[in-house]
Every structure is written in structure tokens, then in C-alpha cells.
Amino acid sequence: MTQDIVILAAGKGSRMKSTFSKVLHKVGGIAMVRRVLMTASTLPEAKLHLVVGHQGEQVEANCQDFSANIVWQHDPQGTGDALRRVAPFLQADGATLTLYGDVPLIRASTLEKMTALSTPNTLVLLTISLDNPTGYGRIVRDAQGKVTAIVEQKDASPSQLAITEVNTGILLAPNNHLQTWLAALTNNNAQGEYYLTDVIAMAARDGVDIVTVNPENAAEVAGVNDRVQLAALERELQHQQAIHLMQNGATLLDPSRIDVRGELTTGHDVVIDVNCVFEGKVVLGNGVEIGPNCHLKDCIIGDNTVIKSHTLIDDSQVGESCDIGPFARLRPGTQLSNNAKIGNFVETKKARIGEGSKVNHLSYIGDTDMGANVNVGAGTITCNYDGVNKHLTQVADNVFIGSNTSLVAPVQIAEGATIAAGSTITKQVGEKQLAFARARQTNKDNWPRPVKK
């Protein structure tokens, strides 16, 4: 059956005490509502509907790349009211899956189990049994074990409150019946709202089969109402990701001290030390070692590269068997060829560093095209910005650059050239030439040192 997927994201979330929509708060570096949309998008024949209300413009702007049908729910009056707003857009011959923008860890595998059971005369309900069901709607079954209704906490009798099987809020209903049920909803309850859960009793009355599916764990269907719950889901997601990484051959020296805020792919025998953060899309090759307190974002790291502690790498490509850090920073556009070395307190930006080249200490290399086997002395900088425009520095193979050198771009250093320490280079240096550019030293006798006033 074709699928309409409705994501409810209209709530105010006042307990978050935030200036922006609750569903835009992030888990694993991704807004909760985006996580739900990403999961929903994996289902075949899915037509997405996003119900927005409080700060809906923010939510819509953040999710526009999903091409979801945006439905406004001004003055929200419950989940049933939200579905009634979507009803005119539902496909006549399909089924509607209802999800929640603040339940970010729902798994595609669980939703696939639900859709596999969907028929024109079947309602599929996601339920879970909890030791403490307080606050949840209870699943009411008859003597034969068939679901007959869902009773909300505030409307439940003492015997119903003793039920431990609860409603997660996620259900899949055939549209040919759902349209009728939504039209028949009333708000005659303790909350004065239109409950989507009331359609369960209508389905039982109409002879529709009601089947239940269970998630793999409670965190999968846990919602977020405040920052405490948000933090709990963050730790749960990080725990799940750490297990996945270790199962795929990575060694985490402390699985509780890693944060993956995007997509991390690892090869065999990768070792990751504590307090490392990975953002965006990061790929680590075989045998990569990451030291403690490193931050990697949108980068590819080649096999057997070692990244030492407190190193930042952003939007860069690193070749095989490189040696980076500690305290190095690779900014966007950096490309390191195999066996390159970037040492402590070195910053690169939009720089191509050739095979075997070394920038060992206290240097800035920006807007640079550097060849192979270049040695860059400590304190060397490329002066790539003239106050208006950026300019390129070109360094050929086998160049030796002495310490404390300034390369004023645009400038070209030819193959095999040597730059004397302390030089400011403003002109082209030819092959195998020695270039030195220093002021003549002057020594003055009896120089009076400054004194503190």
C-alpha cells in the first residue's frame, strides 16, 4: 500500500524553556524532527506530511530539503486535531503512519515491521510494556487478547491504570477507514482535546483488525519534553553508535566518551581515544589512530594515519600514513598527500601538501600548492591576504624553507630551492637557488634598556 507519513511537530514545548521550536533541538548533532524525517524517507512510496504550529516557519525552513507537505495547526487541540488538518491530503487507497517530531530514535526497521502488516482492513499499533507506565495511554484488550481501546492516563479507571502495556502514539491506519474515524472524533475528555487514540475503539467497533508491534527498546519510542530527557536520549544514541563502531572493528578506549554528531565510517583496526567529537560525514581508513580530545568534521582520513591529541580537522582530505598534531588545525580545503606531516601548532587552510612534505612547528600555510618532500621550518607563514584578495603561494618539490620565513603571495618557489631562515620572500625563487632577505644587523653600544614607569 502507498504510505502517507505524518510527522507531528506543532507543539510549543514550553518545558524546554527555549526561544526556538522543541523539535529543532538536536540529538547527535541533528535536529530531532530531521531525524524522524530521515527515517521516514527510507520507507518506499512515502509521501511526507509535516504538521507545524509554534514557530512553524523555523521548522519549515529547517526541513525544506525533504519536500514534505507542510500543514499548519494553529491553536492545537490534540493529535486527532492534527490528523484532521492533514486529512484532505491523504491518498484514498493508502495508509497513514503517524510519527512525532520529538521522538527522534524511532528505527526504520520497526516502521518496516509495521508497514509489512498493513492492509485495507488492518490497523497497526506500536505498543510497549513498561515497569512504570505512568503518563502513558493504556492498551485495553478483551478476554481473547484483542485490542479494543486506548485509555489515556487522566481518563483511566483504577483497573486500567494497572495495565503495563502502553501506547507509543505511533500507529498505521488504512485511509479508507481513517477519514471516517477522524471526522467522528470528539473532545469529550479530561483534556478537552481530540485524541487520535480514540480511533482504536472505532476500529474495534467497525471490525477492523488491530495488530500490535513492539519496538526493540524503550529509547526508540521515548519522547522529549525537557532538556533532561533530551540529554538522556543523546547519551542513548551515543551508546548505540559506540556499540556499532566497535562491532565494525573500531577500538574505543572509553565507549562512554565519544560523540558522533553525524555519520562516522571506520575501517579495520581503528583506535579512537577519549573525548573525540565527529561531526558531519567522517571516513576513517584502516589502521587510523585518533588521539584524545580531537574534533573531526566532514573529512576523509587515509589508512594508517596518526592524528595526535587536540587536533581539529574540518572539510579536509588526508592521505595514507600521515602524521598530524598534536594541537594542529586543518581548515577547509586542506589536502594532505601520503606520508605528509603536520606538527604542533600548525594551521593550514586551502592548502595542498605534497607527499612526504613536513610542516612541523608553529606555522600557517594558507592558499598554498606545495610539492613533495618539502621541509617547512618553524614559524613559517604564507602571507596570502593583502587586505582585499587572497593570493596563491606555489612551492615546488624538494624545497627547504628555513625557520621564521614569510612567503608573501603571490609567489613561486622553484624545485630544489632553499630559503634562508628569517627571510621575507616577495619574488620568485629559481631552481636550486638560495634566497635570503634580511635587514643588515646593527649593534649599538651602551644601549639603555627601557625601565618600568
Side-chain angles (χ1 to χ4, degrees):
M1 296 176 66
T2 56
Q3 301 292 329
D4 285 291
I5 303 180
V6 179
I7 297 97
L8 305 187
K12 186 175 182 179
S14 56
R15 279 183 279 174
M16 297 295 289
K17 301 188 186 307
S18 177
T19 58
F20 56 94
S21 172
K22 174 176 71 170
V23 298
L24 294 182
H25 285 262
K26 295 179 179 180
V27 172
I30 299 172
M32 290 191 288
V33 66
R34 288 188 61 85
R35 283 196 170 274
V36 179
L37 284 163
M38 290 163 59
T39 301
S41 298
T42 65
L43 298 181
E45 301 184 72
K47 180 182 179 183
L48 303 177
H49 307 271
L50 182 62
V51 180
V52 300
H54 178 67
Q55 296 178 329
E57 295 86 357
Q58 291 181 4
V59 179
E60 181 178 2
N62 195 270
C63 302
Q64 59 185 351
D65 53 312
F66 288 95
S67 300
N69 174 37
I70 304 298
V71 179
W72 281 84
Q73 187 188 18
H74 298 290
D75 187 25
Q77 299 178 63
T79 52
D81 173 58
L83 263 291
R84 294 206 299 185
R85 311 287 180 101
V86 184
F89 306 102
L90 301 180
Q91 303 168 88
D93 59 347
T96 296
L97 176 64
T98 302
L99 303 175
Y100 298 83
D102 61 355
V103 182
L105 301 189
I106 187 66
R107 297 183 180 182
S109 57
T110 297
L111 302 183
E112 288 165 0
K113 287 193 293 183
M114 296 180 68
T115 58
L117 298 173
S118 179
T119 75
N121 201 52
T122 303
L123 186 149
V124 187
L125 191 60
L126 190 65
T127 71
I128 188 170
S129 293
L130 300 175
D131 293 335
N132 180 10
T134 301
Y136 288 87
R138 307 304 201 274
I139 303 298
V140 179
R141 296 179 181 266
D142 62 17
Q144 289 72 43
K146 293 183 178 180
V147 176
T148 59
I150 297 175
V151 179
E152 297 298 327
Q153 169 91 21
K154 293 184 178 181
D155 302 309
S157 67
S159 61
Q160 291 169 335
L161 288 174
I163 298 171
T164 58
E165 183 183 14
V166 301
N167 173 42
T168 67
I170 296 173
L171 60 84
L172 176 61
N175 290 344
N176 57 328
H177 291 289
L178 182 61
Q179 295 282 16
T180 302
W181 298 336
L182 291 175
L185 290 177
T186 69
N187 62 350
N188 184 25
N189 51 61
Q191 292 284 82
E193 294 185 347
Y194 295 92
Y195 293 152
L196 180 60
T197 50
D198 286 349
V199 305
I200 305 303
M202 297 179 188
R205 177 200 65 197
D206 294 343
V208 172
D209 295 327
I210 303 174
V211 298
T212 58
V213 170
N214 303 127
E216 294 185 28
N217 56 55
E220 190 178 348
V221 293
V224 171
N225 291 306
D226 56 36
R227 295 178 190 266
V228 175
Q229 293 174 333
L230 182 71
L233 283 193
E234 178 70 36
R235 295 325 321 151
E236 172 62 26
L237 175 64
Q238 297 304 334
H239 174 68
Q240 292 177 10
Q241 294 184 130
I243 291 174
H244 176 75
L245 290 169
M246 291 186 290
Q247 289 174 338
N248 281 282
T251 295
L252 307 183
L253 297 190
D254 186 345
S256 66
R257 288 192 283 171
I258 182 174
D259 282 271
V260 180
R261 301 169 187 168
E263 179 183 344
L264 173 60
T265 303
T266 59
H268 301 303
D269 300 312
V270 169
V271 178
I272 301 173
D273 211 327
V274 300
N275 300 329
C276 291
V277 177
F278 300 89
E279 289 190 75
K281 188 172 184 178
V282 177
V283 178
L284 305 180
N286 298 325
V288 170
E289 296 182 18
I290 310 290
N293 304 299
C294 291
H295 185 174
L296 277 65
K297 178 180 179 181
D298 293 320
C299 57
I300 299 174
I301 311 298
D303 295 349
N304 302 311
T305 284
V306 175
I307 300 173
K308 296 172 183 174
S309 69
H310 297 85
T311 291
L312 282 68
I313 301 178
D314 183 4
D315 193 15
S316 300
Q317 295 188 24
V318 176
E320 298 180 3
S321 301
C322 292
D323 189 330
I324 305 172
F327 296 95
R329 184 185 182 194
L330 275 57
R331 291 170 57 193
T334 296
Q335 298 180 40
L336 302 187
S337 299
N338 298 343
N339 299 295
K341 182 174 182 181
I342 302 295
N344 52 288
F345 302 103
V346 172
E347 178 181 342
T348 64
K349 189 273 297 180
K350 202 175 179 181
R352 295 197 303 169
I353 310 296
E355 184 168 357
S357 291
K358 300 176 181 179
V359 188
N360 278 316
H361 325 280
L362 303 159
S363 297
Y364 169 70
I365 306 298
D367 292 283
T368 298
D369 191 349
M370 182 181 297
N373 301 312
V374 174
N375 188 89
V376 179
T380 295
I381 63 170
T382 56
C383 308
N384 56 324
Y385 183 51
D386 64 8
V388 179
N389 301 301
K390 298 290 183 71
H391 299 282
L392 180 66
T393 296
Q394 295 175 284
V395 180
D397 298 343
N398 302 306
V399 168
F400 182 92
I401 301 175
S403 298
N404 198 33
T405 293
S406 298
L407 303 174
V408 183
V411 69
Q412 296 178 335
I413 313 299
E415 183 173 356
T418 300
I419 310 298
S423 295
T424 298
I425 302 300
T426 61
K427 299 177 182 179
Q428 179 175 341
V429 180
E431 289 188 14
K432 298 184 180 180
Q433 286 186 334
L434 168 65
F436 54 94
R438 306 167 180 161
R440 178 174 295 179
Q441 180 174 328
T442 300
N443 298 339
K444 293 187 176 182
D445 295 332
N446 301 313
W447 173 253
R449 287 185 178 180
V451 295
K452 184 177 289 188
K453 294 180 181 180

